[in-house]
Amino acid sequence: MSIKAIVLAGGYAKRLWPLTKELAKPLVDVGGRPVISYILAALDKSKHISEILISTNAKFEDAFNKWLATQNASGASSAAPRQALLGSGFSKPVNVVAEPTMAEGEKLGAIGGINFVFDSQNITDEVLIIGGDNLIGIDISKIINEFAAKGAPHVGVYDIKNREKVKQLGEVTINSDRKIIRFREKPEQPETTLISTACYLFPAGIRVQIKNYLSSGGNKDAPGYFVKWLAERTDVYAHVFDSYWFDIGDHETLEKAREFARINLIK
């Protein structure tokens, strides 16, 4: 199995301004390193991931390229071609794909950005898509194994173990086979403690379904709307985990993620 990974890093993170006004949110420091580095390290360890694509925008394209250049393996020749240097500290190719936007009002949205990556890179492979601003304890090998066994789309679903918190998130209801039977955004009366995260595994051919979704007028921004649309048309399954998950969207969550990383992830 050969899977391309797309790391979503195309937002402008206005809720974290002024910190992220000139800094891409996935490059914000969490525990002494950019939060995206935790994601890339986990993806790089998977034998099934063939390539990692960072989906960003024109404003932050150079910043990601410069950061990747600092990840070079020691001894890399400074005379080597620039592209060869990028991501050479990883065992897999890591490349930046930038949509042509420079500001919030121009952005394509998460699903629009994914569609741009599919088209510009002519992707027809199975894909793993993950949010570049999430500090997430999902086991990449486990979700890929479940995906391979079912041959159907999978979503990383976190058990937050607190129904009050679910009221501000996306609730996921599953059956005994872990098939997703309902999505609800910010439910007033949650019936479960399972919430959707920005981690998705899709089979080859999902590109066509994304285009169908967009042409039908689907929301271009939050990926959860696409997954809800997809689950109403085909079987979509949950990979449930309960280790840790921080969706870094505001200053409070950022500080919580930093504290968690300081205590649990820094070696």
Side-chain angles (χ1 to χ4, degrees):
M1 179 179 291
S2 177
I3 299 172
K4 288 188 185 295
I6 300 174
V7 182
L8 303 179
Y12 291 91
K14 294 189 72 173
R15 287 187 295 160
L16 278 170
W17 281 18
L19 176 62
T20 54
K21 192 167 185 178
E22 300 300 331
L23 176 69
K25 185 166 54 165
L27 293 177
V28 167
D29 183 279
V30 173
R33 54 195 283 203
V35 64
I36 195 174
S37 69
Y38 296 96
I39 296 167
L40 264 60
L43 294 172
D44 194 52
K45 291 176 183 177
S46 172
K47 65 181 180 180
H48 297 297
I49 302 295
S50 61
E51 180 182 9
I52 302 170
L53 300 170
I54 299 175
S55 172
T56 187
N57 50 59
K59 179 175 181 177
F60 294 125
E61 179 181 11
D62 284 348
F64 282 107
N65 280 332
K66 287 176 181 177
W67 173 73
L68 282 173
T70 69
Q71 306 305 297
N72 294 334
S74 59
S77 170
S78 60
R82 183 168 182 266
Q83 187 61 32
L85 284 173
L86 296 183
S88 63
F90 301 100
S91 65
K92 314 288 172 62
V94 182
N95 293 291
V96 176
V97 180
E99 64 184 53
T101 70
M102 292 290 292
E104 175 77 18
E106 302 172 359
K107 71 177 184 179
L108 303 181
I111 295 297
I114 291 167
N115 185 56
F116 178 83
V117 174
F118 274 114
D119 285 350
S120 65
Q121 305 302 304
N122 193 29
I123 293 175
T124 56
D125 313 62
E126 296 165 318
V127 292
L128 186 154
I129 300 172
I130 189 165
D133 58 354
N134 282 205
L135 187 66
I136 185 169
I138 197 166
D139 187 317
I140 298 296
S141 295
K142 286 184 178 180
I143 190 172
I144 288 177
N145 288 340
E146 291 178 13
F147 169 73
K150 294 286 189 183
H154 273 64
V155 179
V157 171
Y158 180 62
D159 189 350
I160 202 167
K161 299 178 180 178
N162 183 318
R163 292 197 181 189
E164 281 302 308
K165 291 182 178 180
V166 176
K167 291 180 179 181
Q168 301 303 315
L169 300 163
E171 180 193 38
V172 178
T173 304
I174 62 176
N175 66 14
S176 60
D177 195 34
R178 299 194 308 278
K179 178 182 172 182
I180 294 173
I181 57 176
R182 187 174 65 181
F183 265 82
R184 288 196 300 173
E185 286 291 335
K186 299 181 179 180
E188 291 184 4
Q189 298 294 329
E191 296 177 2
T192 176
T193 57
L194 301 180
I195 55 101
S196 177
T197 71
C199 183
Y200 316 98
L201 260 166
F202 294 126
I206 195 68
R207 180 178 179 181
V208 173
Q209 289 168 304
I210 287 175
K211 289 188 179 300
N212 290 340
Y213 167 78
L214 290 173
S215 65
S216 70
N219 186 299
K220 295 180 180 180
D221 198 11
Y225 288 107
F226 169 67
V227 176
K228 180 179 185 296
W229 178 90
L230 187 66
E232 291 169 352
R233 290 160 174 79
T234 190
D235 291 347
V236 178
Y237 292 89
H239 168 76
V240 180
F241 68 102
D242 64 358
S243 49
Y244 61 88
W245 172 73
F246 297 87
D247 182 8
I248 302 173
D250 53 42
H251 289 279
E252 180 182 358
T253 306
L254 173 59
E255 292 309 313
K256 288 180 180 179
R258 284 172 166 170
E259 180 67 7
F260 178 87
R262 184 186 68 78
I263 295 171
N264 298 283
L265 302 180
I266 298 174
K267 298 180 180 180

